[in-house]
Amino acid sequence: MDAREMKIKAAEAALSHVEDGMRLGIGTGSTAEEFVRLLAERVAGGLKVEGVPTSERTARLCVELGVPLKSLDELPELDLTIDGADEVDGRLSLIKGGGGALLREKIVASASTRMIVIADESKVVETLGAFKLPIEVNPFGLAATRIAIEKAAARLGLSGAIVLRASGDGTFMTDGGHYILDASFGLIPDADALASSLNDIPGVVEHGLFINMASLAIIAGPAGARTLTAKE
């Protein structure tokens, strides 16, 4: 089973949690896109759902495939969000934002009664941090914000390159008009403390640590899909 087949297996398992009439948050990224394709087939077969996309990229795919969409203002309370992750640990804490949609992903997930993460085995880790942590920041005061992030990380014993994400010949811009700093802190022993410290920095719009948000994770591997629930 190759990587795409594993993503499809995870998406198939997640689709079993979708019920007629649900208000769905629809994630961003390659695994979430496999879910959209499968969801579109169910919609074509008569399933009634309304989706709120977490990015313009996801919105375009949904429109192309015929998945009905609403804005989060139209549907401010959602039943379920299904989204991918860059890393997931045993507590179901996540690193997200590799696709650049972390702010909208977190807003949509927070508006949902439940969040289900879909991923392949390569995303499961003992400790978060091998994947660079995306931090969405306001373009104004970028240098000051970067220094504040470095100092906050240092107080927690973390260090490493903090790099402004590029796109083509320019700077990557999120759907909300922000920049992303990718922080190579390495393993993060206390993700809760780092999340709290980053939240205190005025120039930080949002960060890619999703803690106490996922209800369960569906992980696909060569033997098929399995479900993870949070360890105490």
Side-chain angles (χ1 to χ4, degrees), residues 131-150:
F131 191 90
K132 295 176 184 177
L133 177 64
I135 304 170
E136 191 162 342
V137 297
N138 196 300
F140 178 81
L142 176 63
T145 299
R146 190 201 304 257
I147 290 170
I149 292 170
E150 289 172 346

Side-chain angles (χ1 to χ4, degrees), residues 10 13-14 16-17 92 116-117 121 215-220 224-230:
S16 69
H17 293 265
L92 300 191
I116 294 177
V117 173
E121 288 280 4
S215 305
L216 59 89
I218 297 172
I219 307 298
R226 61 189 177 97
T227 298
L228 296 181
T229 54

Side-chain angles (χ1 to χ4, degrees), residues 86-87 95-96 98 129-134 161 163 165 182-185:
D86 298 302
E87 286 188 343
I95 286 183
K96 290 178 51 56
F131 191 90
K132 295 176 184 177
L133 177 64
V163 177
R165 187 177 297 186
D182 288 309
S184 299
F185 292 142

Side-chain angles (χ1 to χ4, degrees), residues 109-141:
S110 295
S112 303
T113 301
R114 291 190 300 146
M115 177 187 186
I116 294 177
V117 173
I118 50 178
D120 62 73
E121 288 280 4
S122 69
K123 307 300 174 63
V124 179
V125 298
E126 288 290 328
T127 304
L128 298 178
F131 191 90
K132 295 176 184 177
L133 177 64
I135 304 170
E136 191 162 342
V137 297
N138 196 300
F140 178 81

Side-chain angles (χ1 to χ4, degrees), residues 51-113:
V52 173
T54 57
S55 66
E56 299 301 323
R57 170 179 161 182
T58 294
R60 288 191 294 270
L61 182 62
C62 287
V63 169
E64 177 187 333
L65 298 179
V67 176
L69 294 182
K70 297 283 188 179
S71 70
L72 192 58
D73 287 329
E74 293 172 304
L75 292 180
E77 296 180 315
L78 304 175
D79 300 303
L80 174 65
T81 285
I82 295 178
D83 202 351
D86 298 302
E87 286 188 343
V88 53
D89 71 9
R91 296 172 55 209
L92 300 191
S93 295
L94 316 171
I95 286 183
K96 290 178 51 56
L102 61 151
L103 173 61
R104 293 193 182 185
E105 287 174 335
K106 193 171 283 190
I107 292 172
V108 169
S110 295
S112 303
T113 301

